[in-house]
Amino acid sequence: MSRQSSGSKWVAGLLVVAIVAVVGVFVYREKQARDAAQPLPMPPAASSTAAVASTVADVPRHPIDTPAGASTAALPSLGQSDEAVLAALLALSGDGALKSLLRPEAIVSRMVATIDALPRHTIGMNVLPLRTPTGTFQVQTDDGMLVESSRNFARYDTYMYVADRVSPQAAAAWYKRNYPLFQQAYRDLGTGGYFNDRLVEVIDHLLEAPELKGALQLLPEKDGYTYANPAYEQLSAGQKFMVRVGPVNEAKLKEKLRALREAVAGGATSVETHPVR
């Protein structure tokens, strides 16, 4: 974790901000400040049998249905979609808070690239759909060890405010209507398979993030801090963010993610979460 926000990798991606205007979920950058110029991500190495099946399947495991009453107007091309997408996302959030966070260029492509990369350990700064938060990462001493300060949670307030205001059902309806744009952006990454299958996999991955039962010890390093517990240090970028926002915010995000999964995949997830020891 970097001491400066410029050394942080975030995404409050549209799953809970605009995925839940379609996914994002915030991602913390960790100590990889030196990798900030990383290129757009290549297709991820499959981390499970399910991921492999999603990539090579001829038939989607989670097909997208057209929402009842959806507009029949033609969609813009992916390269010309930013204006319409931005207007729709701002309407979903209901005020200007999301506009202050969102990068207005290549919105769908950024969302897709970020969502696809959440299960990895790093995400390129140049693909994030949302701006990074301001402020400095703060630590404190607890029983003789360094831990994250609870004052850091305030840095997430605007992101959580937007997430709270976005209805997963409304976001899912917008997503389904615009799904061809997301599928095109996913293919542009060089992947096979279907983006909605990948989205469901990523949601399940985030729901598996451990839930903290106490403070985690941090170890200082040149570019910031690492977790003393290897089980936490080896978590993906997406799961580390879920842990880092704190138990209250993590519970709220998981509630949103479960509702979103229900809307885009059908059927409640059976994923259980447990503390990592």
Side-chain angles (χ1 to χ4, degrees):
M1 302 146 240
S2 169
R3 292 182 174 89
Q4 302 297 329
S5 64
S6 61
S8 301
K9 235 178 216 181
W10 289 77
V11 54
L14 316 208
L15 210 10
V16 219
V17 177
I19 152 180
V20 169
V22 199
V23 262
V25 172
F26 328 96
V27 173
Y28 204 92
R29 169 175 164 142
E30 287 281 316
K31 55 182 178 140
Q32 288 92 8
R34 53 189 174 275
D35 296 330
Q38 203 172 315
L40 281 169
M42 295 297 289
S47 57
S48 66
T49 301
V52 174
S54 170
T55 302
V56 301
D58 292 329
V59 177
R61 290 182 293 116
H62 302 287
I64 287 290
D65 59 306
T66 303
S71 170
T72 58
L75 294 175
S77 67
L78 178 61
Q80 301 296 320
S81 63
D82 283 339
E83 183 177 352
V85 168
L86 178 61
L89 294 182
L90 295 182
L92 282 173
S93 62
D95 64 16
L98 178 58
K99 188 174 183 179
S100 70
L101 303 177
L102 191 66
R103 292 179 174 177
E105 313 87 16
I107 299 171
V108 171
S109 294
R110 288 178 183 274
M111 289 169 63
V112 168
T114 297
I115 292 164
D116 183 56
L118 285 172
R120 299 190 218 161
H121 293 291
T122 62
I123 297 177
M125 287 290 285
N126 61 323
V127 306
L128 297 184
L130 300 184
R131 305 182 193 283
T132 57
T134 59
T136 302
F137 181 79
Q138 300 181 58
V139 298
Q140 64 186 37
T141 301
D142 182 3
D143 196 22
M145 64 182 183
L146 287 176
V147 298
E148 179 180 1
S149 171
S150 60
R151 292 191 296 272
N152 286 313
F153 299 156
R155 301 172 68 210
Y156 317 142
D157 286 351
T158 303
Y159 300 84
M160 292 303 303
Y161 170 80
V162 174
D164 285 342
R165 290 181 63 84
V166 175
S167 159
Q169 291 74 26
W174 171 81
Y175 165 62
K176 291 177 181 181
R177 161 77 179 115
N178 289 272
Y179 182 70
L181 300 178
F182 289 88
Q183 180 62 21
Q184 179 61 55
Y186 190 54
R187 291 292 174 87
D188 287 350
L189 290 180
T191 61
Y194 299 90
F195 177 69
N196 198 55
D197 289 346
R198 181 61 174 165
L199 174 58
V200 174
E201 290 171 3
V202 172
I203 292 174
D204 287 345
H205 175 77
L206 295 172
L207 290 173
E208 290 173 341
E211 296 166 0
L212 281 186
K213 304 298 181 183
L216 291 174
Q217 182 180 4
L218 302 174
L219 300 177
E221 287 205 351
K222 179 179 179 181
D223 295 312
Y225 302 91
T226 58
Y227 289 123
N229 185 335
Y232 281 90
E233 184 58 30
Q234 294 168 11
L235 293 176
S236 69
Q239 289 186 344
K240 279 181 178 176
F241 179 82
M242 297 293 285
V243 169
R244 197 166 292 116
V245 295
V248 174
N249 287 337
E250 181 177 2
K252 289 180 180 179
L253 292 179
K254 285 185 174 180
E255 181 181 2
K256 287 279 188 176
L257 290 171
R258 291 188 183 97
L260 183 66
R261 190 192 193 283
E262 173 75 16
V264 302
T269 177
S270 59
V271 170
E272 297 182 3
T273 55
H274 304 281
V276 173
R277 294 179 174 83

